[in-house]
Amino acid sequence: MKVGVIMGSDSDLPVMQKALDVFAEFGVECEVILASAHRTPDAVKEFAEGAEARGIGCIIAGAGMAAHLAGVVAAFTPLPVIGVPLAGGNLKGMDALLATVQMPSGMPVATVAINGAGNGALLALQILAVGNAALRAKYKAYRKHMSDQVAAKNLKLQEQLKKS
């Protein structure tokens, strides 16, 4: 099973690269496309409608300004869609956040924080891990590693405080 990643502009890549890095770390294959809901709607439709047949299990859509990319993708696929609102323009991503999170009833799009591509990727991994025990084990190990890092930092802090 792989993940689809779609972004509305090449300027979105620096933020969306965080998602690609997470997928690379977990060994999850990605299909990545640049397509705009407003400038190339046919390409978005083709990508979304064929995603399931191409082995994609979840789609992440990153777009800025008031773009409705995630919602348009969701309209053309039964797969889970995760929207990543991207910062930009005068509203610094608030327009993208609201456009992504305010979906009509019956057309859900999971939404992460503005520029939250890394968390979007982790959510996609959790979705895929429901039916993939090996991926679920990798994700659990990832979470344990994060927890261990915080515990180690706390020990270091406690040692520093004792010296003060």
Side-chain angles (χ1 to χ4, degrees):
M1 183 103 3
K2 59 185 173 178
V3 175
V5 178
I6 183 169
M7 59 194 96
S9 171
D10 58 347
S11 64
D12 300 337
L13 183 57
V15 172
M16 296 304 289
Q17 184 64 49
K18 295 172 189 169
L20 302 178
D21 293 344
V22 169
F23 295 132
E25 179 182 346
F26 279 83
V28 172
E29 185 182 349
C30 297
E31 180 179 320
V32 183
I33 184 173
L34 175 68
S36 167
H38 301 99
R39 294 177 298 244
T40 59
D42 291 337
V44 172
K45 180 180 180 187
E46 182 180 330
F47 171 80
E49 284 184 335
E52 188 176 14
R54 293 190 311 277
I56 290 174
C58 184
I59 297 172
I60 296 180
M65 309 296 275
H68 295 281
L69 184 58
V72 171
V73 169
F76 291 116
T77 183
L79 299 174
V81 176
I82 300 165
V84 180
L86 301 174
N90 293 334
L91 299 179
K92 299 181 176 136
M94 283 303 297
D95 50 346
L97 174 64
L98 294 174
T100 306
V101 78
Q102 293 289 357
M103 292 300 298
S105 180
M107 194 56 56
V109 169
T111 308
V112 294
I114 296 169
N115 288 349
N119 265 357
L122 292 171
L123 179 55
L125 291 174
Q126 287 179 298
I127 291 168
L128 296 179
V130 168
N132 184 322
L135 184 56
R136 190 166 48 254
K138 283 183 185 180
Y139 184 74
K140 285 179 180 180
Y142 172 85
R143 296 272 304 255
K144 171 106 173 61
H145 178 70
M146 282 194 315
S147 177
D148 292 346
Q149 286 180 318
V150 172
K153 289 176 183 180
N154 180 51
L155 284 175
K156 185 176 179 180
L157 172 64
Q158 297 308 315
E159 289 173 10
Q160 289 173 346
L161 291 174
K162 286 180 186 177
K163 292 178 184 176
S164 300

